[in-house]
Amino acid sequence: MSRREETFRAVRAKAEVSVLILGGGINGTGLFRELSLQGVDCLLVDKSDFVAGASSKSSRMIHGGLRYLESREFRLVKESLFERNRLLEDAPHYVAPLRTTIPLPSRLGGLLRSMLIFMGIKVRPGERGLLPVKAGLWFYDFITRKDRRTPRHVITPKAESLAQLPGLRRDICATATYWDAWITQAERLCIELIRDARDANPNSLALNYVRPTGIEAGAVVLTDTLTDRTFAVRPKVLVNATGGWVDIANASLGLETHFMGGTKGSHLVVDCPPLHKALDGRMVYYQPADGRVCIVFPFMDRVVMGSTDIRIDDPDQARCEEGEIDYMLTTLRGVFPEVAVSREDIVYVFCGVRPLPGGQGKVLANVSRGHSLKVVDADADRPFQTFCMVGGKWTTFRAFAEQTADAILPQLGSPRRCGTAHLAIGGGKGFPTTAEAREAWISRVADASGLGRGRIAALLARYGTAAEAYAMGADAEAERPLESLPDYTAGEIARIAAEEDVEHLADVVCRRSIIALLGRATGDVLAELAEIVGAALGWPPERKAAEVRRALDEVRVP
Ligand SMILES: Cc1cc2nc3c(=O)[nH]c(=O)nc-3n(C[C@H](O)[C@H](O)[C@H](O)COP(=O)(O)OP(=O)(O)OC[C@H]3O[C@@H](n4cnc5c(N)ncnc54)[C@H](O)[C@@H]3O)c2cc1C
């Protein structure tokens, strides 16, 4: 019996659960781990695949949020920098320091505007010059002075800046370079949180493609969207962690709320070696004339750029539109005028909805990225409290999960058993963090498994130390490289299909790997993958063909 069937049986058999969590993005999966570690049994459900929402569509910055200093969100920046440093420590297999450069058009530009924003006067942000940026970076360094994990910022004069980044716009007075962090495999970290939760508490269960469809006699009715079967669950506490969908999910349970005011943001992934080279391995953080903040950074052999910020009511309608593509290509030209990037270079596009709190004014860039917990009391129809997780950043998910768990545990009469600030996640456990330790790890696992050192290094980068278990069980047949994508092997894909809640082919390329993100989910690759995934999951030939069509539709560049 598949794990999904076993899970359905287990849920039906007990029909009660301490905490039902709706939404398997970073906030839902983070809370699932947090509570499971405290011995609380949870059921996590996602209406789509896990991590199909904003959590797989972010800019991948694990950051303090330099620009939030301007709006005096010191607590948020402090918390974010603390969490950034924890992720560098707890998920070193995917989170790494990132050198970030800001081109500065003038010395004093934007000072008055920054001061007005600082004083709480709502004005549209604009280009910031050396002085306001320097003040922000000084504060950034100050906050992390006792927990320094990245170098301090530096201001580089114009001539030197242009020598380092020859493609950069020439009308600058200097550049500022500071360090934040980025996450390579955001999707996999969510999947690893689910795995860690299940390992910590076998009574915690997780199901993707399951949504709440109503309330019956005080129980939440859940529908398996793959088969249309329904079942009822009585939670002691309900958590709505559906991000941009919070109000919509509440409505499906008969609750009218107006917590959210989401905005959509799109990114482009381009295959453009001259731009890759021009970036010199760093992120460039720039401000087009409209005052928004945009970023461009090398991602493996591709370049990612973004993003837009457009109000949207229904997250299911979020798509990257033509106008957004034009905006991103045009604003990039403003910062790298010499580097030609065209629409033909685009290999992937993604768009997600920021779960921002509603009712915070018209200047979208000024809406707080902080998080809060909204509690709806129990009533006769819903005899359980509903905790809604509103807002937040990817970076701060652990803190948000910790705070939410601390609000829920007293309701359940359960004490906190452990903290998570210094607890490694998934393949981050025992990860070799120095060059020497890494070499030793690779040699040891290569010798023990018989696989080559290059292959072990690739597996370590992809799965962290969890690579060892795979490598030890991989025989020659499993290690057969894919014809269409020789970086990956058949055994690796089969393992993902069998162990990581895969229901559709697109789950593998979009949310268990970065195959789609790198623009490598072509027809040939999908056809070959469908054979392997189909064999693991028992798909008949017509299902494999349908899965290829569905995946092509999901990864299509508009
Ligand atoms: C363009 C963009 C760029 C960003 N960049 C950054 C960044 O660089 N750094 C950073 O820290 N943060 C960034 N963020 C913010 C960050 O991505 C989000 O704050 C975070 O991912 C929100 O996670 P979540 O779990 O709350 O929501 P989501 O990831 O959206 O997850 C919600 C889940 O709920 C599911 N769902 C919806 N309705 C239901 C239902 N009725 N029942 C069950 N499940 C349901 C969805 O399928 C989805 O999987 C960015 C966001 C965007 C959109």
Side-chain angles (χ1 to χ4, degrees):
M1 194 190 315
S2 71
R3 177 157 73 195
R4 188 172 175 84
E5 287 311 314
E6 277 174 25
T7 306
F8 274 115
R9 268 199 187 183
V11 175
R12 279 222 175 89
K14 63 179 193 164
E16 279 185 3
V17 65
S18 292
V19 181
L20 171 61
I21 304 172
L22 307 179
I26 187 59
N27 283 323
T29 56
L31 180 66
F32 185 55
R33 179 186 75 141
E34 186 79 38
L35 285 171
S36 300
L37 282 163
Q38 313 312 326
V40 174
D41 60 301
C42 306
L43 172 62
L44 169 74
V45 299
D46 196 294
K47 78 175 175 94
S48 176
D49 188 17
F50 300 125
V51 78
S55 303
S56 56
K57 312 286 171 26
S58 89
S59 305
R60 290 174 189 254
M61 290 173 73
I62 299 298
H63 64 148
L66 182 59
R67 77 191 168 85
Y68 312 140
L69 289 172
E70 203 173 47
S71 40
R72 292 176 304 168
E73 296 198 75
F74 302 119
R75 250 190 37 187
L76 172 62
V77 176
K78 196 170 170 204
E79 181 179 63
S80 303
L81 285 171
F82 177 83
E83 292 302 326
R84 179 199 74 181
N85 285 356
R86 297 294 68 74
L87 276 167
L88 283 165
E89 190 182 278
D90 297 338
H93 53 323
Y94 298 147
V95 180
L98 175 66
R99 185 162 57 137
T100 305
T101 291
I102 312 177
L104 300 166
S106 64
R107 290 191 177 276
L108 300 178
L111 189 58
L112 178 65
R113 201 184 284 109
S114 291
M115 283 164 69
L116 290 173
I117 296 175
F118 192 80
M119 288 187 302
I121 299 171
K122 294 206 160 114
V123 290
R124 203 165 285 283
E127 271 198 336
R128 295 159 186 92
L130 173 60
L131 210 65
V133 169
K134 170 89 191 155
L137 289 175
W138 177 85
F139 197 77
Y140 223 60
D141 286 343
F142 180 76
I143 295 176
T144 45
R145 68 196 180 285
K146 291 191 182 144
D147 183 20
R148 183 157 305 289
R149 281 166 199 268
T150 54
R152 288 168 194 277
H153 81 272
V154 288
I155 302 292
T156 310
K158 175 173 179 169
E160 209 181 312
S161 298
L162 293 178
Q164 288 174 9
L165 298 166
L168 202 62
R169 62 190 267 194
R170 307 199 82 75
D171 59 341
I172 52 167
C173 74
T175 56
T177 297
Y178 71 107
W179 291 76
D180 250 321
W182 69 311
I183 178 160
T184 50
Q185 308 229 30
E187 302 76 10
R188 290 205 55 82
L189 203 74
C190 291
I191 300 300
E192 292 184 6
L193 286 166
I194 296 176
R195 177 182 285 240
D196 285 358
R198 283 169 165 158
D199 289 350
N201 186 346
N203 292 321
S204 276
L205 305 169
L207 286 167
N208 48 1
Y209 297 101
V210 166
R211 68 187 311 156
T213 44
I215 295 278
E216 248 174 49
V220 178
V221 180
L222 296 169
T223 300
D224 173 3
T225 64
L226 301 178
T227 59
D228 275 343
R229 61 188 155 171
T230 62
F231 55 103
V233 169
R234 281 174 202 284
K236 291 184 184 144
V237 166
L238 177 79
V239 178
N240 183 341
T242 59
W245 288 267
V246 161
D247 293 325
I248 298 170
N250 279 343
S252 72
L253 301 175
L255 269 181
E256 188 185 332
T257 54
H258 301 279
F259 297 142
M260 308 306 301
T263 66
K264 71 165 177 168
S266 299
H267 289 82
L268 308 179
V269 183
V270 295
D271 177 14
C272 179
L275 180 61
H276 197 280
K277 185 158 178 260
L279 288 166
D280 182 37
R282 52 182 113 181
M283 172 178 278
V284 171
Y285 174 113
Y286 61 100
Q287 296 163 299
D290 63 6
R292 294 208 52 261
V293 168
C294 290
I295 48 153
V296 53
F297 61 99
F299 188 86
M300 317 292 162
D301 59 341
R302 308 301 203 207
V303 174
V304 177
M305 69 180 84
S307 63
T308 52
D309 201 2
I310 300 168
R311 181 78 80 204
I312 188 163
D313 289 327
D314 180 359
D316 283 319
Q317 301 306 318
R319 309 264 180 285
C320 175
E321 283 163 72
E322 289 290 322
E324 294 177 82
I325 297 181
D326 290 342
Y327 172 85
M328 288 184 270
L329 292 178
T330 308
T331 54
L332 182 76
R333 237 167 271 137
V335 70
F336 282 107
E338 306 297 320
V339 185
V341 184
S342 72
R343 288 183 81 98
E344 286 67 52
D345 297 327
I346 302 172
V347 294
Y348 191 60
V349 161
F350 56 98
C351 175
V353 175
R354 300 177 182 85
L356 302 180
Q360 292 214 359
K362 288 195 179 135
V363 184
L364 300 178
N366 291 345
V367 176
S368 172
R369 268 47 175 175
H371 54 253
S372 64
L373 199 56
K374 307 277 184 203
V375 186
V376 182
D377 285 335
D379 60 20
D381 292 336
R382 287 166 297 272
F384 44 79
Q385 276 189 315
T386 302
F387 291 77
C388 302
M389 299 178 81
V390 174
K393 298 165 55 178
W394 218 107
T395 308
T396 48
F397 82 85
R398 194 207 61 82
F400 199 5
E402 185 178 75
Q403 291 151 16
T404 306
D406 284 342
I408 290 173
L409 290 171
Q411 310 294 323
L412 301 174
S414 301
R416 175 172 276 284
R417 290 185 185 169
C418 63
T420 46
H422 302 285
L423 191 67
I425 302 169
K429 289 170 202 143
F431 190 80
T433 48
T434 63
E436 272 175 8
R438 193 170 164 279
E439 286 306 304
W441 195 95
I442 291 170
S443 298
R444 181 179 63 74
V445 179
D447 288 350
S449 66
L451 304 189
R453 286 177 54 84
R455 175 73 179 137
I456 296 295
L459 289 171
L460 179 64
R462 214 170 270 164
Y463 308 108
T465 50
E468 182 170 358
Y470 168 76
M472 295 306 290
D475 56 19
E477 173 50 24
E479 275 297 281
R480 175 176 58 82
L482 301 190
E483 268 172 41
S484 57
L485 193 63
D487 263 10
Y488 284 82
T489 62
E492 206 181 331
I493 298 297
R495 186 198 61 77
I496 289 174
E499 294 179 10
E500 296 189 346
D501 302 288
V502 168
E503 297 300 330
H504 288 292
L505 184 58
D507 301 345
V508 174
V509 292
C510 297
R511 292 168 290 274
R512 306 295 181 278
S513 71
I514 48 175
I515 293 173
L517 187 64
L518 294 175
R520 300 218 154 82
T522 58
D524 286 355
V525 168
L526 289 170
E528 192 174 358
L529 291 178
E531 291 301 324
I532 300 165
V533 176
L537 302 183
W539 291 342
E542 60 279 9
R543 171 82 189 267
K544 292 181 204 165
E547 288 293 335
V548 171
R549 285 195 298 276
R550 181 185 165 118
L552 276 174
D553 205 40
E554 187 163 337
V555 303
R556 181 165 293 123
V557 173

